[in-house]
Amino acid sequence: MTAELSSPDPASAAPPAVLRRGSSSGGGGLGRYVLVRFLLIIPTVFILVTLVFLLMRTTGDPITAALGGKLTGPQLQERIHEAGYDRPLIVQYLEYLGNIFTGNFGNTLSDNRPVTQVLLTYGGATLELAFYALIVAFIVGIPLGMVAAYFRDRTPDAFLRIFAILCYATPVFFAGLLLKLVFAVWFQILPVAGRASTGAELQMQFLQSKTGIYLIDAIQTGNPDVIGDVLSHAVLPGVALGLLTAGVFLRLVRTNLIGTLGTDYVDSARSRGVTEFRLVRKHAYRPALIPIITVIGLQIALLLGGAVLTETTFEWKGLGFQLAQYLQARDFVAVQGIVALLAVIVAVTNFIVDIIAALIDPRVRY
Amino acid sequence: MTDTTARPRPRRSLATRIPLFAQVRSSIGLQRGMLVAGLVITGVFVITAIFAPLLAPYGFAQLRADGTPFGAQEAPNAEHLLGTTVGGYDVLSRVIWGAQTAILTIVVSVILSIFAGIFLGLVSGYIGGWLDRVLVVVCDAIYAFPSLLLAIVMSIVISGGQSNLFGGILAASISITVVFIPQYFRVIRAETVRIKSEAYVESAKVIGTRAPRIVFRHVLRNATRSLPLLLTLNSSEALLTLAGLGFLGFGIEPSAAAEWGYDLNKSLSDVTSGIWWTSLFPGLAIVLAVLGITLLGESLNDLADPRLRGRRAALDTGAPAPDNGAAPHGSAASGQAVVADDRATTNDEERVS
Amino acid sequence: MRSASTRTTRLVASLAGTAAVALVLAGCAGGSNGGSAGGKAITIGTTDKVTVLDPAGSYDNGSFAVMNQVFPFLMNTPYGSPDVKPDIAESADFTGPTEYTVKLKSGLKFANGNDLTSSDVKFSFDRQLKINDENGPASLLYNLDSVAAPDDTTVVFTLKSADDQVFPQILSSPAGPIVDEDVFSATELTSDEDIVKGKAFAGQYEIASYDFNNLISYKAFAGYDGVLGKAKTDQVNVKYYADSSNLKLDIQEGNIDVAFRSLSATDIDDLKGNDKVKVVDGPGGEIRYIVFNFDTQPFGAKTPEADPAKALAVRQAVADLIDRDEIAKQVYKDTYTPLYSYVPAGLTGATESLKAPYGDGNGGPDADKAKSTLAAAGITGPVELSLQYSNDHYGPSSGDEYALIKDQLESSGLFTVNLQTTEWVQYSKDRTTDVYPSYQLGWFPDYSDADNYLTPFFLTENFLANHYDNPAVNDLILKQAVTTDPAARTALIEQIQDAVAADLSTVPYLQGAQVAVTGTTVEGTKDTLDASFKFRYGALTKG
């Protein structure tokens, strides 16, 4: 039984021995595995939501945050009492759980908007940014990782590895600033920040079926200028966030290729006289792809989880950025709603990744 | 699985027992270059931090010398080699003192996460049962959450809004600790579960030796392969989170300590006004410090992993075959093993986005 | 580079053109083809944040800035003046000691075609009191007992206390916007979407499209007939920024026409030297001051060595030592100006009560004077002073501001300052519970009257809760509020400032200027940067 839970996702930091042991001792079929993994989503989400609920209550209340500079102490107390924030925690907690179970996420406290609407609006923006970032990460990370593996331990490999580390070591707000200076101020070929220029946004405002995902909205307008405008706004944030992920992919592809290049399967191909380049491209690439897929799945979850710094640097009003704002306003309801959504996204993505991994390699099932 | 267990003990000379020296010796070519570069950068970083009071020309919160104010946003000159900030501080001094704040945060967070993570991992893995399951699920839940956001919440909770030096450092390091405990936990717990059922533990139980002690010893010995990487990741992550918190305005105040992220945040508007020196240096300091630590970690990881160690290097040192058959040969499984390390990397890289 | 930039310009121009077409197609008769009052569309950028559009549910600057464009007021401040005049009303007068009667202009309409009558006015104030939202401004209506609407154009306010000279000002405050009773709910907040969809607007502008905290597009409302006159520009777009450095880059690159609130001091200083933009400033209502807690400050009433005379000497020494010019120049690059009294310059009744008695008598600091003040009170050795500030509520420069104040106090050798900062929510709780012996606060007025800088602070029961209690000051403040003769009232206000300056309940030191940065072809900015502290888009034109 312990083995069953030893690592809910197969690509975790558990050493391989556990995987082997798990595979030999595991009994149930795929169906049981899927079910257990699915049920695990519930406690994961529940724990995060509870954690956030408790943490938020210890940090103060939204009324003091908004009006502490305007009202006297007793006036604040009176309003806090009316809003019910001074009731016992357990009462508030049960009420909150009750609301969630009835599907009522409530209205945000600081700006009185339905939480579901907040999630839809900003979730779309975050999704879009994650999409651009992944494209950049794929285009940059995977080919360069193959190149690095091919030139293993030679000069190109050194440069590429340093490049990957720099992608990670440079805080995104610093990189963002430099990108803006170069492309928006010196060369003036890209906009400074935001998701579209005023004119384009106005045009998209009047669409009947607004999605909140600007690229789709822009295509709907059918105006090439608008599409171009939206895309040009996506370049810098996409690159800034994408490079961060590209560094991960580069390293991952390189490591895994080198790993598979040393296996019996590739060795035998090599002994048949297959060229080293072809080895990288054909033989080693395929097996290496499997772990890469699982990591990409996780990356998507984390990208959706809110790239706070990127969103703040580039005025990209998405979930992460908005969550930081609501935190500052102590908007319990909004924060809990966004956290719940993030938790669900991450848990479900993990679940899907695990299932895919189990389908590809039966040994991970246990 | 690790060099420690594989290499026969008595043959180790004194030199090889000095930490890192053995690794430098066993490395070759590019890998040695990376390792040495990482060591040098990290060394400079640590030395700067330790000797900050001697190296820095002024205090981190000093605004005037001999009664005359420094002035704000002064360009680099003889008195202020790197100029002054918008608040009128000396940039060079703040960059140097900032190393101290960074190191303190790293040390506190690494110590806290290691102890808590190892303890929880051992307990969870050894005792098993429902306690194990609860801990695993809790750790997974926290692990899955974007760390910077968690850090923001934690920093508000922990410091109670205060921001003196130790409040700030504790807030940053505890919030990073919370995120890193699950990672140590995973490594240690998996190792514990594996070793618990190994034959030698079983036999130790039979002859009456206390099993927990044996498990503890073996777990730590075997975990040394993955711990260095995790440790350096933890360090660079601590630094980046501290900077991120400072950048978002949840960090340490300037009169309490020098902090690079805070200085970067304050200098944002300087850059667009052509004042480059206030942001460039703290920014470079962050990049270099993280670069050094990461280089160090990656090189150590490569050297500890026979598959990644340079081919010739592996031959030269007579790289040991993986012990107790832990290293798999199947291609997919080996992929899993590799991804295991990189997954930790992956997560953290994304964390401060 | 050149061609790239012209390409961008062309793209922007073509987008603006298509956007205008879209507006017309969408049925919002813009007609902005340079004909009538027209003018080119203006894009304004700001870092303000809107919370809710409903006047009953928000009490913050960002939301009030929107309300000022789209909702009518009974009383409002005309361009260039701090004093209120009837806005959509013909007249407004006291018809009895506790009876304030407002006559509306006839034939007023909302943008949706509904009539704007006294019944809407009564509805607006009744719902403020009824909803009493926890984030709302209902507390400003503390003196309002009831509202009556005897006929379609007459509104009678019954007040709790007589001859309230502040009440007309309150009608221009965040509690005063008039809303449509057919669109708004009487018992709960109405959502932004319903307000925009219901076109419940009757100010200079109506909202044509609304993308929350991202982009609001306004178009002039033809039916507005109030004291401000018709809007000079038909279409105004407001872009909301999260980060002021992006706002700065956009105004610098000409992507927007106006940047208003808030650029950093460095940005403004830099833009002043840029001939592609104009930096325009006007008086600001925002003030910064240090509060002393009379119980817990050094030698305060609840400390072991309590001594009122010594406590006063400590406050006086701080007032002697603080170098306002240096703070304004170094930290704020003169976007803030030194403040020497409690009522900021520009308002009726403002003095410079702290200038002569403290420092060198000319506004500068004087360490010798501080030294002799302390010595005269029998204080020897440096005074230990705990000073607290909020790092996240009063803008990004508070840290630098207070580091400098600490430095000014300490470099005299008379003080040892223990400077601490606290995040805003905790700060708000702590400051009223005697945790901080001395601390930073700022104030942004609800209405442009000296009263709003005196009543909240220096009555015995006050917002500061710092245990300052001077019955004479208390009585004077209550008296000025009901003094009907303007000259006599002004004299009282001046007297109050002198009296508080002698006690030093707080030490005011900075007054914020309103600064807008505009493209070179934008005119009219100066007209609206006045002591009403309301930025009206209707005053702007673009050539």
Side-chain angles (χ1 to χ4, degrees):
Chain A
M1 278 315 271
T2 43
E4 190 174 276
L5 278 166
S6 68
S7 92
D9 38 312
S12 72
V18 175
L19 295 181
R20 274 197 330 156
R21 180 168 301 280
S23 61
S24 58
S25 68
L30 181 65
R32 184 162 170 275
Y33 176 69
V34 170
L35 182 72
V36 170
R37 276 298 290 113
F38 183 75
L39 288 180
L40 271 176
I41 293 178
I42 297 167
T44 308
V45 173
F46 176 78
I47 287 167
L48 269 187
V49 165
T50 305
L51 191 76
V52 168
F53 178 91
L54 292 175
L55 285 178
M56 285 305 289
R57 308 288 144 159
T58 59
T59 58
D61 62 278
I63 294 169
T64 313
L67 296 176
K70 278 288 179 198
L71 301 182
T72 66
Q75 275 173 322
L76 285 175
Q77 276 313 315
E78 189 185 321
R79 289 184 180 209
I80 287 170
H81 179 72
E82 275 169 20
Y85 298 141
D86 54 353
R87 291 174 301 162
L89 263 189
I90 184 75
V91 177
Q92 296 185 49
Y93 180 59
L94 290 177
E95 182 187 85
Y96 169 63
L97 285 187
N99 282 338
I100 284 196
F101 277 117
T102 52
N104 173 12
F105 286 93
N107 281 9
T108 62
L109 303 168
S110 55
D111 45 27
N112 193 41
R113 300 157 65 73
V115 170
T116 39
Q117 188 197 334
V118 170
L119 296 181
L120 279 178
T121 315
Y122 300 112
T126 300
L127 193 72
E128 199 178 354
L129 179 59
F131 172 71
Y132 296 132
L134 274 176
I135 292 182
V136 173
F138 276 121
I139 294 179
V140 176
I142 291 184
L144 289 187
M146 291 168 75
V147 171
Y150 180 75
F151 287 104
R152 175 181 182 191
D153 294 339
R154 278 176 280 158
T155 320
D157 183 31
F159 278 110
L160 287 173
R161 293 187 72 186
I162 301 279
F163 168 74
I165 297 177
L166 277 179
C167 284
Y168 163 62
T170 313
V172 73
F173 44 85
F174 189 52
L177 193 69
L178 297 179
L179 285 174
K180 275 193 266 187
L181 272 186
V182 173
F183 293 102
V185 178
W186 290 344
F187 294 124
Q188 309 203 332
I189 43 175
L190 289 170
V192 173
R195 294 175 63 197
S197 56
T198 316
E201 283 195 337
L202 278 178
Q203 262 190 298
M204 291 187 281
Q205 285 285 310
F206 292 105
L207 282 174
Q208 288 303 313
S209 50
K210 231 175 23 164
T211 56
I213 297 171
Y214 276 22
L215 187 57
I216 298 179
D217 288 352
I219 293 171
Q220 283 192 59
T221 62
N223 182 339
D225 286 345
V226 175
I227 301 174
D229 181 67
V230 165
L231 286 177
S232 72
H233 277 82
V235 174
L236 289 186
V239 166
L241 186 57
L243 280 186
L244 211 63
T245 315
V248 182
F249 285 180
L250 196 162
R251 230 147 98 185
L252 190 73
V253 170
R254 177 187 176 275
T255 316
N256 279 286
L257 274 181
I258 291 176
T260 49
L261 276 173
T263 58
D264 301 344
Y265 155 70
V266 177
D267 273 346
S268 68
R270 192 181 280 127
S271 66
R272 287 200 312 271
V274 181
T275 64
E276 197 72 8
F277 177 74
R278 197 175 155 77
L279 274 178
V280 170
R281 210 167 52 83
K282 280 272 181 199
H283 293 78
Y285 185 62
R286 244 164 240 274
L289 208 58
I290 296 164
I292 293 171
I293 287 172
T294 62
V295 171
I296 287 171
L298 203 88
Q299 279 293 314
I300 294 174
L302 285 166
L303 282 176
L304 289 178
V308 191
L309 293 176
T310 314
E311 290 184 352
T312 309
T313 310
F314 289 100
E315 301 282 333
W316 196 280
K317 288 164 185 161
L319 278 184
F321 166 75
Q322 209 59 30
L323 184 53
Q325 301 279 312
Y326 282 131
L327 266 172
Q328 211 144 25
R330 300 297 183 280
D331 191 327
F332 307 145
V333 179
V335 170
Q336 284 157 5
I338 296 178
V339 168
L341 178 75
L342 294 185
V344 169
I345 292 177
V346 173
V348 169
T349 320
N350 268 343
F351 167 71
I352 295 173
V353 163
D354 283 2
I355 300 302
I356 293 177
L359 286 174
I360 294 174
D361 182 1
R363 280 172 306 170
V364 256
R365 258 180 257 157
Y366 27 76
Chain B
M1 187 154 190
T2 68
D3 298 296
T4 349
T5 45
R7 214 172 280 142
R9 230 152 256 268
R11 273 204 285 138
R12 294 177 70 185
S13 69
L14 178 71
T16 54
R17 264 181 279 154
I18 298 173
L20 297 171
F21 191 83
Q23 275 90 343
V24 173
R25 261 184 44 148
S26 72
S27 64
I28 184 168
L30 172 64
Q31 278 182 346
R32 175 175 282 182
M34 283 177 68
L35 179 60
V36 170
L39 273 175
V40 169
I41 297 177
T42 314
V44 169
F45 174 43
V46 172
I47 289 170
T48 309
I50 294 174
F51 297 106
L54 300 176
L55 292 173
Y58 305 100
F60 55 81
Q62 198 173 335
L63 285 172
R64 56 189 89 206
D66 310 323
T68 44
F70 293 164
Q73 296 171 331
E74 296 288 325
N77 55 44
E79 252 133 69
H80 305 283
L81 291 177
L82 304 184
T84 63
T85 71
V86 61
Y89 301 113
D90 178 55
V91 175
L92 177 62
S93 306
R94 301 255 325 155
V95 169
I96 293 176
W97 283 101
Q100 203 168 55
T101 315
I103 285 275
L104 273 174
T105 312
I106 290 175
V107 168
V108 175
S109 79
V110 166
I111 290 179
L112 287 178
S113 346
I114 284 192
F115 278 101
I118 291 184
F119 174 77
L120 287 176
L122 277 173
V123 168
S124 182
Y126 191 78
I127 296 179
W130 64 269
L131 175 80
D132 183 42
R133 281 186 216 193
V134 170
L135 280 175
V136 167
V137 173
V138 170
C139 281
D140 268 14
I142 295 174
Y143 186 58
F145 196 69
S147 76
L148 190 61
L149 294 173
L150 198 62
I152 295 172
V153 183
M154 293 306 293
S155 73
I156 296 171
V157 175
I158 291 163
S159 60
Q162 294 283 344
S163 62
N164 47 20
L165 174 61
F166 283 96
I169 288 179
L170 272 183
S173 41
I174 292 182
S175 32
I176 297 151
T177 301
V178 171
V179 178
F180 263 83
I181 287 176
Q183 308 202 25
Y184 288 101
F185 172 85
R186 278 166 175 246
V187 173
I188 298 293
R189 182 192 160 280
E191 199 70 12
T192 312
V193 169
R194 185 175 70 83
I195 287 175
K196 197 172 72 170
S197 45
E198 287 292 341
Y200 54 85
V201 178
E202 298 289 339
S203 57
K205 271 188 200 159
V206 174
I207 60 167
T209 320
R210 285 178 54 225
R213 260 189 61 190
I214 294 190
V215 171
F216 181 68
R217 282 226 317 265
H218 278 87
V219 166
L220 284 196
R221 193 171 294 163
N222 284 339
T224 45
R225 186 181 83 83
S226 32
L227 280 190
L229 179 70
L230 205 47
L231 214 96
T232 52
L233 265 178
N234 189 338
S235 308
S236 36
E237 196 58 30
L239 222 165
L240 287 176
T241 308
L242 181 71
L245 281 176
F247 179 77
L248 289 175
F250 295 93
I252 305 168
E253 282 307 292
S255 55
E259 201 267 289
W260 297 330
Y262 176 92
D263 286 353
L264 251 183
N265 180 14
K266 291 295 158 208
S267 59
L268 271 189
S269 49
D270 297 355
V271 181
T272 58
S273 308
I275 299 166
W276 50 272
W277 55 91
T278 51
S279 58
L280 187 68
F281 299 109
L284 279 183
I286 298 176
V287 174
L288 276 179
V290 178
L291 178 72
I293 297 173
T294 315
L295 273 177
L296 191 61
E298 276 213 2
S299 320
L300 288 181
N301 185 53
D302 282 5
L303 288 173
D305 188 331
R307 282 169 300 111
L308 291 175
R309 191 182 295 185
R311 261 171 255 150
R312 275 174 306 145
L315 289 175
D316 287 350
T317 53
D323 68 332
N324 55 36
H329 281 276
S331 58
S334 89
Q336 296 290 3
V338 177
V339 91
D341 296 328
D342 263 86
R343 175 108 182 247
T345 327
T346 311
N347 242 331
D348 299 300
E349 303 209 15
E350 190 35 47
R351 281 178 182 282
V352 220
S353 58
Chain C
M1 215 157 88
R2 195 62 261 160
S3 73
S5 120
T6 45
R7 196 165 62 230
T8 321
T9 321
R10 227 184 307 129
L11 172 68
V12 169
S14 94
L15 285 173
T18 40
V21 173
L23 274 173
V24 175
L25 286 180
C28 312
S32 60
N33 298 335
S36 55
K40 288 181 197 157
I42 292 182
T43 303
I44 299 171
T46 180
T47 59
D48 278 354
K49 269 187 281 187
V50 178
T51 56
V52 297
L53 274 187
D54 188 331
S58 64
Y59 190 4
D60 56 89
N61 296 326
S63 310
F64 191 49
V66 181
M67 291 177 207
N68 271 314
Q69 321 302 329
V70 297
F71 294 123
F73 290 80
L74 294 181
M75 303 294 285
N76 216 335
T77 25
Y79 297 128
S81 148
D83 301 312
V84 291
K85 295 272 177 311
D87 186 358
I88 57 164
E90 255 170 28
S91 66
D93 298 291
F94 276 99
T95 46
T98 61
E99 202 181 88
Y100 192 70
T101 305
V102 178
K103 280 269 185 205
L104 294 178
K105 292 182 176 164
S106 55
L108 293 172
K109 287 207 186 296
F110 282 101
N112 54 22
N114 294 346
D115 288 331
L116 196 174
T117 64
S118 59
S119 151
D120 290 299
V121 175
K122 177 177 161 53
F123 172 83
S124 301
F125 288 95
D126 284 349
R127 78 188 281 274
Q128 278 282 8
L129 293 173
K130 168 92 176 100
I131 295 173
N132 193 16
D133 187 82
E134 66 250 23
N135 291 324
S139 53
L140 284 172
L141 299 173
Y142 58 89
N143 198 21
L144 179 62
D145 190 46
S146 65
V147 191
D151 65 59
D152 264 4
T153 56
T154 310
V155 187
V156 181
F157 293 94
T158 308
L159 307 181
K160 288 174 185 159
S161 62
D163 290 329
D164 183 354
Q165 294 307 300
V166 178
F167 191 72
Q169 290 276 359
I170 296 218
L171 293 178
S172 75
S173 77
I178 308 301
V179 300
D180 185 350
E181 59 182 332
D182 297 325
V183 174
F184 282 79
S185 154
T187 52
E188 56 187 29
L189 293 185
T190 303
S191 74
D192 296 354
E193 282 68 25
D194 290 344
I195 298 173
V196 173
K197 220 183 291 160
K199 291 191 177 190
F201 308 117
Q204 282 178 301
Y205 282 97
E206 56 180 296
I207 295 179
S209 85
Y210 185 79
D211 186 5
F212 179 68
N213 269 347
N214 185 41
L215 176 67
I216 300 183
S217 177
Y218 297 90
K219 80 183 181 71
F221 171 52
Y224 174 74
D225 181 23
V227 66
L228 297 171
K230 295 247 188 299
K232 291 185 176 143
T233 297
D234 274 338
Q235 194 191 338
V236 173
N237 304 313
V238 180
K239 256 177 109 92
Y240 288 83
Y241 289 78
D243 181 23
S244 69
S245 66
N246 289 328
L247 176 62
K248 191 248 175 180
L249 284 176
D250 267 349
I251 184 79
Q252 174 186 317
E253 300 300 313
N255 299 334
I256 55 175
D257 304 311
V258 180
F260 181 67
R261 289 236 303 261
S262 299
L263 289 167
S264 76
T266 311
D267 291 339
I268 290 169
D269 199 46
D270 181 54
L271 291 170
K272 272 183 188 158
N274 184 336
D275 52 15
K276 283 194 288 184
V277 295
K278 290 190 290 189
V279 177
V280 188
D281 55 10
E286 192 185 0
I287 60 168
R288 294 286 164 77
Y289 52 96
I290 298 172
V291 183
F292 289 95
N293 186 312
F294 278 48
D295 277 2
T296 57
Q297 72 155 98
F299 309 105
K302 296 267 170 67
T303 57
E305 60 278 353
D307 184 339
K310 284 183 177 175
L312 178 62
V314 168
R315 297 196 297 274
Q316 287 172 333
V318 170
D320 284 334
L321 288 173
I322 202 163
D323 186 347
R324 296 171 170 84
D325 268 327
E326 192 183 27
I327 305 172
K329 205 164 274 140
Q330 167 149 342
V331 179
Y332 289 104
K333 309 235 188 271
D334 296 324
T335 53
Y336 278 63
T337 50
L339 173 64
Y340 295 100
S341 184
Y342 299 94
V343 177
L347 288 183
T348 311
T351 62
E352 292 199 323
S353 301
L354 277 81
K355 202 168 192 171
Y358 302 112
D360 63 5
N362 219 349
D366 188 340
D368 294 334
K369 187 157 176 213
K371 198 171 189 175
S372 58
T373 307
L374 289 177
I379 301 172
T380 49
V383 179
E384 287 216 16
L385 183 69
S386 290
L387 186 59
Q388 200 84 19
Y389 71 97
S390 159
N391 57 342
D392 58 344
H393 195 71
Y394 295 113
S397 301
S398 290
D400 296 332
E401 185 181 323
Y402 273 77
L404 189 56
I405 290 178
K406 172 186 159 94
D407 192 71
Q408 289 173 353
L409 295 180
E410 284 186 339
S411 59
S412 69
L414 301 172
F415 282 92
T416 314
V417 180
N418 173 20
L419 186 64
Q420 295 272 315
T421 175
T422 309
E423 167 284 328
W424 175 246
V425 179
Q426 190 62 37
Y427 190 84
S428 301
K429 286 204 167 76
D430 288 349
R431 69 169 187 84
T432 52
T433 47
D434 298 341
V435 178
Y436 307 144
S438 62
Y439 60 93
Q440 168 203 33
L441 270 187
W443 183 255
F444 198 90
D446 301 306
Y447 43 89
S448 308
D449 188 280
D451 175 81
N452 198 231
Y453 291 89
L454 300 174
T455 304
F457 305 108
F458 307 121
L459 289 177
T460 305
E461 288 294 321
N462 63 47
F463 158 78
L464 302 174
N466 68 337
H467 311 287
Y468 171 64
D469 179 12
N470 183 338
V473 169
N474 193 55
D475 293 345
L476 282 172
I477 292 177
L478 294 177
K479 192 172 164 201
Q480 62 81 19
V482 295
T483 302
T484 46
D485 174 34
R489 181 161 178 256
T490 305
L492 281 171
I493 288 170
E494 289 169 1
Q495 203 182 334
I496 296 166
Q497 294 173 70
D498 289 342
V500 182
D503 294 338
L504 286 174
S505 169
T506 69
V507 175
Y509 60 91
L510 283 185
Q511 172 177 8
Q514 303 181 85
V515 183
V517 180
T518 69
T520 42
T521 57
V522 175
E523 299 294 335
T525 326
K526 196 84 193 166
D527 298 339
T528 182
L529 290 176
D530 55 26
S532 71
F533 312 133
K534 295 176 171 184
F535 191 74
R536 275 83 173 229
Y537 306 152
L540 307 175
T541 53
K542 181 175 155 189

